[in-house]
Amino acid sequence: MPPELPIYMVAVGSFFSVFFGKMIFGGLGRNLFNPAIVGYLFLIITFPVELTTQYIVPGSDLFTSATLLRDRAFGFSLTNVTDILLGEYAGTIGNTFKLGVLILGLGLVVLKISDWRIPLSILVSMVVFTFIFDAIYPENFHEGLMSIFVGGTLFAAFFVATDPVSAPFTNRGKLIYGIGIAFITVIIRGLAAFPEGFIFAIIIMNAIAPMIDSMKWVQPKEVKA
C-alpha cells in the first residue's frame, strides 16, 4: 500500500481479500487466487486515485503519484540501480528497499520455502520480453535489465507469485507460470496506461494454473519398474 493511504481503505481491502479471496472458496489451501492480490486489485479499481497518488518522496514531505515504468528516467545505470536497491525513490510500503526484498527472497529460496523456478522464470523472462518489445516499441519500453529492479518485480517474483496454493504444482508448470506472468506484466507496463502490471498478470495466471498443471507434457514422467 502507499504509505499515506487512509487506514479504512486498508481495512476494506483486507476484509475483501480474506473473504472473497480465500474464505468464499472454502478457506485456507482452497483459494484459486492469491488473496492479497485480490484485495489489492479491488482497492485499485475502487480507489484508483488514492492508490496511485499517496506516495512520499524519500527525505521530504512531498507527495507524488505512481510513475509509469516506461519512463526513460529509469535507464540502466549504477546510480539508478543503487538508488532503487536502497529505496531512494517513492514506492509502496515494504517494496521500496529492494535490497532487503532481494535478500529475504533469496533466503526463502535457499531454505526451500519458495520454489526457485517461479522467481527465476519471472526475472529472466522480464528481461528477455522487455528487450524484445524495446526493439519494436522503443518509445514505450526501457532497458531490459532495468525491468527487474523497477516497480514491484522483485517483491512479486519472490513473495506473491510463489504462493504455493494459487501457483501450479508441477515443476514445468511453474516455469510456464512465471513466463506468463512476465509476458503479461511487460505488455501492461509498456502499452497500457497503468503503472504496474503484476496485479493483473498474477490474477490471470492464477486462473489458468490448474489448466497448466493438467497439460500432459508438464506432468512428470512415470518411472517404469
Side-chain angles (χ1 to χ4, degrees), residues 21-219:
K22 182 169 62 176
M23 302 310 296
I24 201 169
F25 291 101
L28 184 64
R30 298 182 180 182
N31 48 287
L32 176 62
F33 303 100
N34 183 296
I37 290 294
V38 171
Y40 191 81
L41 180 61
F42 172 76
L43 285 178
I44 204 164
I45 291 175
T46 308
F47 309 106
V49 175
E50 290 80 359
L51 264 290
T52 56
T53 61
Q54 299 298 307
Y55 298 96
I56 300 176
V57 178
S60 72
D61 295 326
L62 301 176
F63 288 84
T64 185
S65 59
T67 303
L68 290 177
L69 299 181
R70 56 176 174 264
D71 188 342
R72 285 290 169 178
F74 285 111
F76 185 80
S77 68
L78 181 60
T79 300
N80 279 348
V81 171
T82 302
D83 287 345
I84 288 175
L85 288 177
L86 297 180
E88 296 295 328
Y89 77 106
T92 55
I93 296 174
N95 186 41
T96 52
F97 184 44
K98 291 290 193 298
L99 182 60
V101 173
L102 181 60
I103 292 173
L104 292 174
L106 291 174
L108 293 178
V109 172
V110 171
L111 294 174
K112 297 183 178 181
I113 297 175
S114 298
D115 193 301
W116 59 269
R117 294 172 181 83
I118 294 177
L120 181 63
S121 60
I122 289 176
L123 297 180
V124 172
S125 299
M126 286 287 294
V127 174
V128 173
F129 288 136
T130 304
F131 268 122
I132 293 174
F133 281 103
D134 187 28
I136 303 173
Y137 304 101
E139 69 281 359
N140 290 351
F141 294 86
H142 51 68
E143 293 89 342
L145 290 176
M146 203 62 184
S147 64
I148 64 176
F149 295 103
V150 296
T153 303
L154 292 174
F155 189 87
F158 285 105
F159 294 97
V160 184
T162 52
D163 173 32
V165 178
S166 54
F169 296 106
T170 58
N171 291 336
R172 292 180 182 176
K174 291 173 183 176
L175 294 174
I176 297 172
Y177 177 74
I179 293 172
I181 289 175
F183 180 73
I184 297 171
T185 299
V186 169
I187 290 178
I188 294 176
R189 279 185 173 186
L191 301 179
F194 199 77
E196 182 59 279
F198 271 109
I199 307 165
F200 302 98
I202 293 177
I203 283 287
I204 292 171
M205 294 307 294
N206 282 168
I208 66 175
M211 184 180 70
I212 294 175
D213 277 334
S214 67
M215 294 188 297
K216 290 184 178 181
W217 65 279
V218 305
Q219 298 293 329

